Every structure is written in C-alpha cells, then in structure tokens.
Amino acid sequence: MNGTAHTAIGAATGFIAANTFQSSPTETMILVGLGAVSGLMPDLDIDGKLRGKITLSHKVIRLTALFIGMLMVFYSFYEGRAVDKWLGIGIGLAIIIVSSLIKQKHMLTITGIGVLAGGISLSEIWLILLGVYIVIASISSHRSYTHSILGIIFFGFIASKLEGSLGIHGVYYACLGGYISHLIADLKILPFNKRGIKLFLPVSKIEL
Ligand SMILES: [Zn+2]
C-alpha cells in the first residue's frame, strides 16, 4: 500500500479517536494530524520517496547536524554539571563526526540523531525515543521491525509520553491506532499486498 493510502487511513483513525474522546475542534485537528503521521511511521524503513520527503537536502542536513553538534558541545561545556557535562560533550562530538561522514543513504539516520539530540536538550522523553525509533527504522530492512509487535509497543510508549507532554486526551489512541492501521493495511491476506509483515520478530520470521 502506498503512502497516501496509509496517511488517509491513519487520519481516519485519528478522527475516530477524536470522536471517542469528544475533542474540541482544535484537538480534533491535532489528533487527525497525529493519526496521519503515525500511519506513515512504519515505512520510514523504505528507501526512496518517503525518506526524500522528510529529509532536507544533503548539505542542509550536514550543516544542521554540525551546528547542533557544536551547540551541544559548547552548551554542555558551560552549563552542564558532572556526568551531564561529559555526556553532552560526547554526544555533541559524535554528531560532528557522524555528520562529516554522511552520505545520501545515511540522511534518515542523521535526521534521527538530530531528533534525539533535540529531545535530550529539551528533556522531552518522547522526542528522545522518537529519535531512537527513526535511527532504528533507518537501518532496518523493509517490513521488518517497524512492522512488528515490538514496533507497536515501542511506538505506543512514545505515544503515551507524547500524550503526557501535550496534555491532550486521545493522543495515545490516535497515534497507536494510526500505527496499527498501517500494519493491518500491509497484511498479506489483503489482495493488493505481494508481501506481508513479520509481526512476531525476532521470535518468529513468519510472514502474515
Ligand atoms: Zn508498510
């Protein structure tokens, strides 16, 4: 199934969540948007179109990563205390080194590291975990871990932390529902899917 269809189904799931929680019009828009984004998330393991959409051009990403890395080093050096200080400097240096090595195919990984660094500096757990998710997705083979129960649990945990940060009821269900809708739409029993998903990784490689 293509990205447009996944987005539409995810958005519909967000809308159902909004109705269930009798959300205000603004909250409804947020939940529909989150459902749509969540419906796309599992396919961050695809090479091609979707990666091109969320990542900026090669040079911009490299410069941004370099800048974030240097900022992390300086900030940690002047503001950090004890362990935090060295952790921050270490992460900053790692970002600088990695960003100078990036090639086209590593762009999504770099984006993930950027999100991770942003989450650390903002002290937002959901953003940190989302960064980790993007990094893992970028190095996973297609329709593997992001399309498994393990992926659902990990993303569900991110969603629950996001709901806590935003303080909006229904965020958890909109995100989780959008994510699960993607996996259902990718099942092999549906006539338009040539391949299924390995739902039980790493326990079983059976394709559903
Ligand atoms: Zn998929």
Side-chain angles (χ1 to χ4, degrees):
M1 192 169 266
N2 64 29
T4 314
H6 279 307
T7 311
I9 298 169
T13 314
F15 190 70
I16 293 167
N19 273 299
T20 310
F21 286 89
Q22 298 182 319
S23 311
S24 70
T26 312
E27 286 173 353
T28 301
M29 277 170 59
I30 293 170
L31 295 184
V32 169
L34 285 173
V37 171
S38 304
L40 276 176
M41 288 304 283
D43 276 353
L44 286 184
D45 61 359
I46 286 188
D47 268 305
K49 283 184 193 166
L50 193 65
R51 285 189 183 191
K53 269 180 200 161
I54 74 146
T55 51
L56 304 166
S57 84
H58 186 197
K59 273 186 185 168
V60 175
I61 289 270
R62 176 180 277 186
L63 283 174
T64 309
L66 205 67
F67 185 68
I68 291 172
M70 291 194 316
L71 224 61
M72 289 272 311
V73 171
F74 286 120
Y75 182 83
S76 307
F77 189 75
Y78 289 109
E79 300 289 332
R81 289 191 187 91
V83 181
D84 282 354
K85 179 174 181 165
W86 297 109
L87 186 69
I89 290 173
I91 292 167
L93 286 176
I95 294 171
I96 291 170
I97 293 166
V98 172
S99 67
S100 62
L101 298 173
I102 53 170
K103 296 189 180 76
Q104 199 76 14
K105 65 171 186 169
H106 296 131
M107 274 164 52
L108 189 62
T109 316
I110 298 299
T111 306
I113 293 169
V115 171
L116 178 64
I120 291 168
S121 53
L122 294 169
S123 299
E124 288 285 351
I125 302 269
W126 72 270
L127 203 57
I128 294 171
L129 294 173
L130 184 64
V132 173
Y133 178 94
I134 295 172
V135 171
I136 294 172
S138 73
I139 55 176
S140 302
S141 56
H142 185 42
R143 293 198 175 205
S144 64
Y145 284 96
T146 59
H147 290 65
S148 71
I149 289 174
L150 214 60
I152 296 173
I153 294 170
F154 191 59
F155 192 76
F157 191 64
I158 297 173
S160 72
K161 293 293 172 190
L162 178 61
E163 172 156 328
S165 282
L166 293 176
I168 299 171
H169 286 298
V171 166
Y172 174 70
Y173 286 105
C175 292
L176 194 62
Y179 197 93
I180 293 173
S181 77
H182 181 116
L183 302 199
I184 293 171
D186 272 356
L187 288 173
K188 206 163 65 177
I189 44 165
L190 298 175
F192 44 79
N193 287 326
K194 287 192 200 102
R195 292 177 60 193
I197 57 169
K198 293 173 182 136
L199 197 59
F200 303 107
L201 278 176
V203 180
S204 161
K205 285 186 177 170
I206 188 167
E207 209 170 278
L208 297 175

